[in-house]
């Protein structure tokens, strides 16, 4: 999914629309998983796969979009390093929000916290491009 859509965005120059769509797919995967009963293992696993496809496929597209909008290679190197550096704490937070005390109820806090920023990101991407 990541390689296919990154290639598509590079050739068609439709990074914004693709990013919005992928963020909505990722958000849907997390939010539906948060709403499902904890014992629905197959459906929750399918939601996890959908959420991962939507979430992780946005990263190379956004990095390509960022680097394509900078004038020099020095600015590209600095901007990409800063982007990745600021993203790392978010990944750490993404793991710690899945509390062991919520295991029996299906980790709803973690799913909602992961799905919500994807929804906000899709709206912000649409607003910035429009």
């Amino acid at each position: 999914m990541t390689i296919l859509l990154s290639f598509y965005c590079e050739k068609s120059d439709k990074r914004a629309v693709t990013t919005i769509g992928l963020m909505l797919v990722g958000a849907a995967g997390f939010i539906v998983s948060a709403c499902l009963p904890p014992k629905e293992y197959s459906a929750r696993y399918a939601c996890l796969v959908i959420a991962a496809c939507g979430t992780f496929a946005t990263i190379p597209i956004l990095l390509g979009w960022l680097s394509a909008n900078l004038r020099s290679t020095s600015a590209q190197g600095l901007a990409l390093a800063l982007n990745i550096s600021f993203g790392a704490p978010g990944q750490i937070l993404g793991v710690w929000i899945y509390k062991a005390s919520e295991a029996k109820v299906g980790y709803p806090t973690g799913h909602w916290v992961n799905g919500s920023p994807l929804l906000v990101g899709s709206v912000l991407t649409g607003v910035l491009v429009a």
Side-chain angles (χ1 to χ4, degrees):
M1 181 68 79
T2 301
I3 294 170
L4 214 102
L5 288 173
S6 296
F7 184 76
Y8 167 76
C9 288
E10 185 63 30
K11 297 299 177 191
S12 67
D13 200 28
K14 297 196 184 288
R15 290 183 182 98
V17 174
T18 307
T19 299
I20 292 168
L22 285 170
M23 286 182 173
L24 290 173
V25 166
F30 281 118
I31 292 169
V32 170
S33 184
C35 294
L36 286 171
K39 298 288 184 189
E40 291 290 329
Y41 298 115
S42 296
R44 291 172 65 84
Y45 185 75
C47 288
L48 174 65
V49 171
I50 291 168
C53 287
T55 303
F56 292 112
T58 61
I59 296 168
I61 296 168
L62 290 174
L63 289 176
W65 196 2
L66 172 65
S67 64
N69 287 308
L70 298 170
R71 294 180 186 214
S72 69
T73 54
S74 299
Q76 288 176 350
L78 179 62
L80 290 172
L82 287 171
N83 183 290
I84 292 169
S85 296
F86 286 122
Q91 293 173 1
I92 294 168
L93 175 65
V95 173
W96 284 97
I97 57 174
Y98 285 91
K99 304 173 197 172
S101 62
E102 292 186 343
K104 292 184 180 185
V105 293
Y107 304 103
T109 302
H111 294 317
W112 283 108
V113 170
N114 278 318
S116 301
L118 287 168
L119 283 176
V120 171
S122 66
V123 170
L124 288 176
T125 303
V127 168
L128 291 173
V129 174

